[in-house]
């Protein structure tokens, strides 16, 4: 899934900027031999450099404005939230309209426009009544075509070559594999747990519908209907209700948007003259926007960026915390090899027919080859769905909780009461020398590497970014804001003597940017190892609710205590 979705996103980006295998892309406008310059080659006022520069400006401007308007939902601009939501929902459409007007404003610097036929008709133009030759490729001497082919393709017209249907069966099987895999992978990406979809999937139902539509389009000589991976994912994000950090909270699941989209596509048939005014660089900008948006949720892209990161700055992910760095990079390198192979085969026309075979070959390689290179736990962490990863993390944490700290019984009290980490290490080093002559029952301290809240949705949520999906803190407490504790969960079995200390540790575990003015703080003693482990992740151990209050509200309200007042009241009650 990751390789295929990254391939589709990269195709959008490369074809928008400049494909190395064709003249598609805005960079190719700087080539004087580009076909867009042919209609103006005899015009004295025309400069292909000026046209290319304007095309580049329109291209980058379309992408920039689309990203800018996409953030309006959480901005303070415009009079109300409804207008901000509308600006975000129609960001791409507004950007297309703005830069289409700018692209058509310079009459002396023409840029390439969308090539649209003058009327709604089949594009195959005939040289004569038999319609076996194409105008103008087969009849240059004719000034205009004889007519258009009929709408329904004559399947019996084989031009005297009866072996064609049999020879076409082999490529047809490859085409079926490509459509089937494309449709299945796209559906799997759409139904990703992070999208929080409620309705059930329809893999088989959708495949049947696509097969029927491919048959109908073939009879009409129209392009086949296939799943649009990038556009489908963008549709999910357009219908999603998101938090300010980009996390999907819910998705409005409706068929009305699909119906409206295809009705508008039907309406464009009657607006062909308007479509001719849309500059092609504007469409390139839209393709770049869609490709870049898709990269933000691709884990493969995020792990590729880690090749260039400082290891201590890696984003917080299960595979960065529980896997060795070399093993993680090895898996990414294998994926990168198959991606490069797929892109090369797709781009070389002589061998492009083998593209579906390579996609299908990735399945047995994942099922039978990779398990011989990586352990089952590593494959779960780096190449599994989020629910499976959460179950693995929960089981790992349960196993850690069942194991007691392996320390010497004589030193256990000293270890739990020590306030300085350096003193702990030095005293245990001295104890190891003093007890070297003791029986073999003495055990060494074994520390475990734990992750702060790996499974909790309270502290961390996954959000897309330019470096791939990353876990970001969802809850921030800072400034002079007061903190009002409204309740705790009884799930943690603690005594009355240490409950206040545990509450205090949990509250102080939250990173406060600054303390309230005039407040006095005390240095707290180091908690025992069991207390530290239970407080390291408040989600499965201690659930509490918080409310952020501005300093003015705290100052003028009698019923809402400040953070230090709440702590003092907790200590007093104990």
């Amino acid at each position: 899934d990751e390789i295929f979705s990254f391939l589709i996103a990269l195709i959008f980006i490369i074809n928008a900027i400049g494909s190395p295998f064709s003249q598609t892309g805005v960079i190719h406008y700087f080539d004087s031999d580009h076909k867009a310059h042919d209609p103006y080659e005899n015009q004295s006022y025309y400069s292909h450099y000026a046209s290319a520069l304007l095309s580049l400006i329109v291209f980058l401007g379309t992408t920039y404005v689309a990203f800018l308007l996409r953030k309006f939902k959480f901005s303070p601009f415009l009079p109300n939230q409804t207008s901000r939501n509308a600006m975000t929902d129609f960001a791409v459409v507004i950007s297309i309209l703005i830069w289409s007007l700018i692209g058509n404003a310079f009459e002396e610097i023409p840029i390439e426009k969308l090539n649209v036929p003058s009327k709604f008709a089949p594009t195959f133009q005939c040289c004569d009544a038999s319609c076996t030759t194409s105008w103008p490729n087969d009849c240059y001497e004719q000034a205009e075509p004889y007519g258009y082919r009929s709408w329904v393709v004559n399947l019996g017209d084989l031009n005297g070559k009866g072996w064609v249907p049999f020879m076409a069966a082999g490529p047809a099987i490859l085409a079926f594999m490509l459509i089937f895999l494309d449709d299945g992978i796209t559906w799997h990406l759409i139904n990703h747990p992070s999208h929080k979809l409620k309705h059930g999937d329809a893999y088989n139902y959708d495949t049947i519908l696509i097969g029927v539509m491919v048959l109908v389009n073939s009879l009409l000589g129209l392009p086949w209907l296939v799943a649009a991976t990038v556009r489908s994912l963008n549709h999910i994000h357009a219908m999603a209700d998101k938090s300010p950090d980009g996390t999907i909270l819910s998705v409005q699941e409706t068929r009305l948007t699909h119906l409206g989209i295809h009705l508008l596509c039907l309406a464009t048939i009657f607006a062909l003259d308007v479509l001719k005014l849309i500059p092609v660089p504007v469409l390139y900008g839209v393709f770049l926007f869609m490709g870049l948006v898709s990269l933000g949720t691709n884990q493969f892209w995020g792990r590729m960026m880690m090749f260039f990161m400082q290891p201590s700055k890696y984003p917080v992910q299960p595979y960065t915390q529980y896997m060795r760095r070399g093993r993680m990079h090895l898996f990414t390198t294998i994926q990168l090899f198959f991606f490069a192979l797929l892109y090369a085969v797709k781009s070389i026309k002589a061998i492009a027919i083998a593209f579906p075979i390579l996609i299908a070959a990735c399945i047995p390689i994942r099922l039978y080859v990779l398990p011989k290179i990586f352990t089952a736990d590593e494959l779960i962490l780096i190449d599994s769905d989020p629910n499976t990863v959460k179950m693995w993390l929960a089981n790992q944490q349960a196993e850690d909780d069942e194991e007691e700290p392996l320390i010497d019984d004589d030193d256990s009290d000293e270890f739990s009461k020590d306030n300085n980490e350096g003193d702990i290490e030095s005293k245990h080093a001295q104890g190891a020398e003093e007890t070297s002559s003791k029986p073999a029952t003495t055990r060494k301290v074994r520390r475990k590497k734990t992750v702060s809240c790996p499974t909790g949705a309270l502290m961390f949520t996954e959000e897309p970014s330019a470096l791939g999906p990353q876990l970001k803190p969802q809850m921030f407490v800072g400034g002079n804001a007061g903190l009002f504790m409204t309740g705790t969960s009884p799930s943690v079995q603690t005594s009355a003597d240490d409950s206040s200390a545990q509450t205090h540790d949990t509250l102080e575990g939250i990173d406060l940017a600054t303390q309230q003015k005039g407040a006095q703080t005390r240095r707290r003693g180091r908690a025992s190892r069991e207390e530290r482990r239970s407080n390291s992740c408040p989600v499965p151990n201690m659930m509490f609710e918080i409310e952020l209050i501005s300093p003015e509200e705290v100052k003028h309200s009698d019923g809402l205590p400040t953070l230090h007042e709440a702590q003092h009241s907790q200590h007093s009650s104990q």
Side-chain angles (χ1 to χ4, degrees):
D1 293 351
E2 294 174 358
I3 296 176
F4 185 80
S5 61
F6 179 71
L7 175 66
I8 300 300
L10 199 66
I11 289 174
F12 270 69
I13 296 173
I14 291 179
N15 287 345
I17 298 175
S19 173
F21 303 99
S22 65
Q23 286 193 332
T24 304
V26 69
I27 297 299
H28 293 290
Y29 288 129
F30 289 91
D31 184 5
S32 60
D33 296 329
H34 193 275
K35 63 179 181 179
H37 306 309
D38 293 343
Y40 311 99
E41 58 182 358
N42 296 326
Q43 304 293 333
S44 59
Y45 65 87
Y46 181 75
S47 170
H48 75 276
Y49 285 114
S51 177
L53 183 59
L54 180 59
S55 300
L56 182 62
I57 294 174
V58 170
F59 162 72
L60 296 176
T62 303
T63 304
Y64 174 76
V65 172
F67 273 109
L68 182 66
L69 299 181
R70 190 167 174 256
K71 302 177 181 178
F72 255 74
K73 184 175 182 178
F74 301 103
S75 70
F77 301 102
L78 299 182
N80 51 53
Q81 189 61 41
T82 302
S83 57
R84 287 190 288 270
N85 291 344
M87 188 69 69
T88 298
D89 294 338
F90 296 96
V92 177
V93 177
I94 295 174
S95 181
I96 291 175
L97 293 176
I98 292 175
W99 289 98
S100 294
L101 293 175
I102 295 176
N104 288 280
F106 302 91
E107 296 182 358
E108 295 185 355
I109 311 178
I111 58 179
E112 185 181 13
K113 304 298 193 301
L114 190 62
N115 185 16
V116 180
S118 57
K119 65 177 182 178
F120 182 64
T123 55
F124 188 89
Q125 297 174 312
C126 310
C127 292
D128 51 31
S130 63
C131 204
T132 57
T133 53
S134 175
W135 182 89
N137 297 331
D138 299 331
C139 46
Y140 291 100
E141 66 280 358
Q142 288 187 217
E144 59 183 17
Y146 175 83
Y148 298 88
R149 70 162 179 85
S150 60
W151 273 104
V152 179
V153 176
N154 183 8
L155 299 180
D157 185 10
L158 301 178
N159 200 18
K161 301 175 182 179
W163 50 266
V164 170
F166 303 98
M167 295 299 297
I173 294 176
L174 297 178
F176 161 75
M177 292 172 56
L178 180 60
I179 294 175
F180 178 79
L181 292 173
D182 188 6
D183 181 57
I185 292 173
T186 302
W187 260 113
H188 194 254
L189 292 171
I190 290 175
N191 289 316
H192 195 273
S194 63
H195 294 156
K196 299 181 175 62
L197 299 180
K198 303 296 184 182
H199 294 175
D201 52 56
Y203 290 93
N204 297 332
Y205 179 64
D206 189 70
T207 303
I208 292 175
L209 287 180
I210 286 183
V212 173
M213 292 306 301
V214 166
L215 175 63
V216 174
N217 288 12
S218 299
L219 294 175
L220 298 176
L222 299 177
W224 287 345
L225 180 68
V226 295
T229 306
V230 173
R231 286 173 291 184
S232 299
L233 292 175
N234 277 276
H235 181 261
I236 288 288
H237 288 279
M239 299 300 296
D241 183 18
K242 299 182 180 181
S243 63
D245 59 8
T247 304
I248 293 180
L249 304 177
S250 63
V251 175
Q252 180 67 34
E253 301 179 56
T254 175
R255 295 184 177 93
L256 294 178
T257 54
H258 302 281
L259 179 62
I261 288 171
H262 290 90
L263 286 177
L264 290 175
C265 291
L266 178 64
T268 57
I269 297 176
F270 308 98
L272 297 178
D273 293 335
V274 177
L275 294 180
K276 292 180 179 180
L277 301 177
I278 300 178
V280 174
V282 170
L283 301 182
Y284 287 154
V286 174
F287 294 158
L288 179 63
F289 168 81
M290 296 172 67
L292 292 177
V293 169
S294 300
L295 288 182
T297 57
N298 191 282
Q299 185 194 115
F300 176 40
W301 168 255
R303 283 189 278 106
M304 280 198 299
M305 292 295 100
M306 292 183 195
F307 283 120
F308 312 101
M309 291 184 188
Q310 179 182 340
S312 61
K313 302 295 184 180
Y314 284 170
V316 179
Q317 290 284 5
Y319 49 84
T320 60
Q321 299 293 327
Y322 288 95
M323 285 184 66
R324 295 202 306 270
R325 187 168 67 250
R327 302 289 289 174
M328 180 184 67
H329 288 330
L330 175 60
F331 188 88
T332 307
T333 303
I334 294 175
Q335 284 186 308
L336 190 59
F337 168 76
F338 281 101
F339 162 76
L341 189 62
L342 284 173
Y343 188 83
V345 171
K346 179 204 75 70
S347 303
I348 302 175
K349 293 183 178 180
I351 58 175
I353 195 173
F355 180 73
I357 299 177
L358 288 179
I359 294 181
C362 292
I363 300 175
I365 290 174
R366 170 61 181 85
L367 294 177
Y368 303 108
V369 177
L370 291 184
K372 299 181 182 300
I373 303 175
F374 300 92
T375 64
D377 290 342
E378 289 174 336
L379 291 177
I380 289 176
L381 290 171
I382 202 169
D383 190 35
S384 184
D385 62 273
N387 292 332
T388 304
V389 175
K390 288 182 178 181
M391 291 176 60
W392 186 93
L393 292 172
N395 293 334
Q396 185 73 13
Q397 186 174 2
E399 293 176 0
D400 292 346
D401 291 340
E402 292 176 358
E403 296 180 6
E404 296 186 4
L406 300 180
I407 60 176
D408 185 58
D409 296 336
D410 297 334
D411 297 335
S412 59
D413 294 337
E414 181 182 4
F415 177 75
S416 61
K417 295 179 180 179
D418 203 313
N419 295 330
N420 189 281
E421 185 70 29
D423 294 340
I424 293 175
E425 300 294 341
S426 61
K427 290 182 179 180
H428 277 284
Q430 295 174 5
E433 296 177 358
E434 296 174 359
T435 60
S436 58
S437 61
K438 289 184 179 182
T441 56
T442 303
R443 294 172 293 177
K444 297 181 179 179
V445 177
R446 185 174 72 182
R447 298 183 180 276
K448 294 182 178 295
K449 181 181 180 182
T450 58
V451 185
S452 178
C453 303
T455 61
L458 176 64
M459 297 297 292
F460 292 95
T461 55
E462 185 175 291
E463 70 167 275
S465 68
L467 300 178
Q470 299 187 24
L471 293 180
K472 295 291 185 181
Q474 189 183 17
M475 178 178 62
F476 290 95
V477 182
N480 293 324
L483 183 65
F484 175 50
M485 184 169 181
T486 61
T488 59
S489 172
S491 60
V492 181
Q493 302 297 330
T494 57
S495 62
D497 295 332
D498 62 358
S499 61
S500 61
Q502 190 172 11
T503 302
H504 176 72
D505 290 343
T506 304
L507 291 175
E508 289 216 358
I510 303 174
D511 183 18
L512 296 177
T514 56
Q515 298 289 345
Q516 291 191 2
K517 187 176 181 180
Q520 296 180 358
T521 60
R522 64 180 181 84
R523 182 178 180 181
R524 60 189 178 96
R526 182 177 179 84
S528 67
R529 187 165 186 259
E530 289 301 323
E531 290 176 338
R532 294 201 311 274
R533 290 183 62 186
S534 63
N535 292 335
S536 64
C537 186
V539 175
N541 299 311
M542 186 175 194
M543 300 298 294
F544 57 90
E545 299 175 359
I546 64 170
E547 181 178 357
L548 299 183
I549 307 162
S550 63
E552 290 76 16
E553 293 177 350
V554 175
K555 181 177 180 181
H556 299 290
S557 177
D558 297 330
L560 299 177
T562 64
L563 172 62
H564 299 282
E565 292 173 348
Q567 294 175 358
H568 178 71
S569 63
Q570 290 286 339
H571 289 297
S572 299
S573 63
Q574 297 299 330

